[in-house]
């Protein structure tokens, strides 16, 4: 494994399901759930204001690309519902990509355009693309939740047939 890792911060509804699926991907070094994109300092589960439930992902770019991570993100949540994932309603459950630099922003915008053009989802992508801000780590009971509670609630699942058409790596990155 290379000694270089990159950071991604994504919000796509309940963070338990996102973490459980993303952590199993090749090249994922670590994940933690928390709150990002909002207005409350030191956010907690009970008081996170306008923050979204988010996942911070550290990944090895020699094993997976940011583009591949985003493509999987769009497979496991519905990016066409405003402030909702499954039965979860509210700003906490919005779809958002919090980019760490201009390169990630460009890849996010390009990936969203490709998802929209693919017709895989029945509506237009409403995923927010914003610069990353503070990430407030969630309480210990929320970390690795579905590993400890294998039958716990989730509204996330892989849709293996919902794959974007292949592009050349130079175009994708």
């Amino acid at each position: 494994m290379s000694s270089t890792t990159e950071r991604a911060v994504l919000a796509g509804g309940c963070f338990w399901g996102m973490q459980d699926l993303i952590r199993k991907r090749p090249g994922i070094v670590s994940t933690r759930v928390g709150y990002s994109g909002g207005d409350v300092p030191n956010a907690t589960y009970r008081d996170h204001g306008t923050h979204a439930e988010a996942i911070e992902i550290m990944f090895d770019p020699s094993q997976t690309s940011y583009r591949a991570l985003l493509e999987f993100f769009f497979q496991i949540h519905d990016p066409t519902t405003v402030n909702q994932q499954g039965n979860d309603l509210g700003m906490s459950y919005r779809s958002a990509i919090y980019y760490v630099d201009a390169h990630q922003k460009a890849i996010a915008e390009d990936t969203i355009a490709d998802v929209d053009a693919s017709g895989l989802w029945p509506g237009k992508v409403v995923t927010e693309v914003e610069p990353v801000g503070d990430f407030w780590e969630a309480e210990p009971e929320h970390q690795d939740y579905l590993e400890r509670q294998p039958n716990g609630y989730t509204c996330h699942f892989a849709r293996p047939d919902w794959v974007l058409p292949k592009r050349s790596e130079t175009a994708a990155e």
Side-chain angles (χ1 to χ4, degrees):
M1 180 166 25
S2 85
S3 60
T4 304
T5 58
E6 291 183 20
R7 178 181 188 227
V9 179
L10 306 173
C14 178
F15 46 30
W16 299 335
M18 296 269 301
Q19 182 182 39
D20 193 56
L21 293 171
I22 290 173
R23 75 153 37 93
K24 297 171 183 167
R25 303 290 295 171
I28 303 304
V29 176
S30 65
T31 60
R32 64 185 183 139
V33 298
Y35 314 97
S36 198
D39 60 352
V40 175
N42 302 306
T44 65
Y45 190 74
R46 297 211 182 276
D47 181 19
H48 55 268
T50 61
H51 285 292
E53 288 194 9
I55 177 171
E56 180 186 63
I57 305 151
M58 300 305 291
F59 66 98
D60 180 343
S62 73
Q63 294 185 32
T64 191
S65 67
Y66 186 66
R67 168 75 185 212
L69 193 56
L70 293 184
E71 287 184 9
F72 187 70
F73 169 68
F74 285 116
Q75 256 192 58
I76 64 172
H77 87 292
D78 184 345
T80 67
T81 53
V82 177
N83 297 334
Q84 177 181 358
Q85 282 301 306
N87 294 326
D88 295 331
L89 301 171
M91 285 189 76
S92 299
Y93 306 110
R94 68 186 179 272
S95 176
I97 297 169
Y98 300 109
Y99 59 87
V100 301
D101 57 26
H103 183 65
Q104 280 192 356
K105 179 182 181 186
I107 293 169
E109 290 170 343
D110 196 41
T111 306
I112 288 170
D114 289 346
V115 170
D116 271 337
S118 74
L120 292 173
W121 286 102
K124 185 165 174 43
V125 172
V126 297
T127 304
E128 298 172 3
V129 178
E130 302 289 336
V132 71
D134 291 328
F135 181 89
W136 305 101
E137 185 172 353
E139 298 80 358
E141 63 267 24
H142 297 293
Q143 305 297 329
D144 309 313
Y145 179 79
L146 289 173
E147 287 199 341
R148 291 180 289 104
Q149 304 288 331
N151 297 315
Y153 173 78
T154 183
C155 62
H156 296 91
F157 57 94
R159 298 165 178 90
D161 54 333
W162 290 30
V163 176
L164 289 175
K166 287 290 176 218
R167 297 167 29 137
S168 70
E169 279 303 308
T170 53
E173 294 294 325

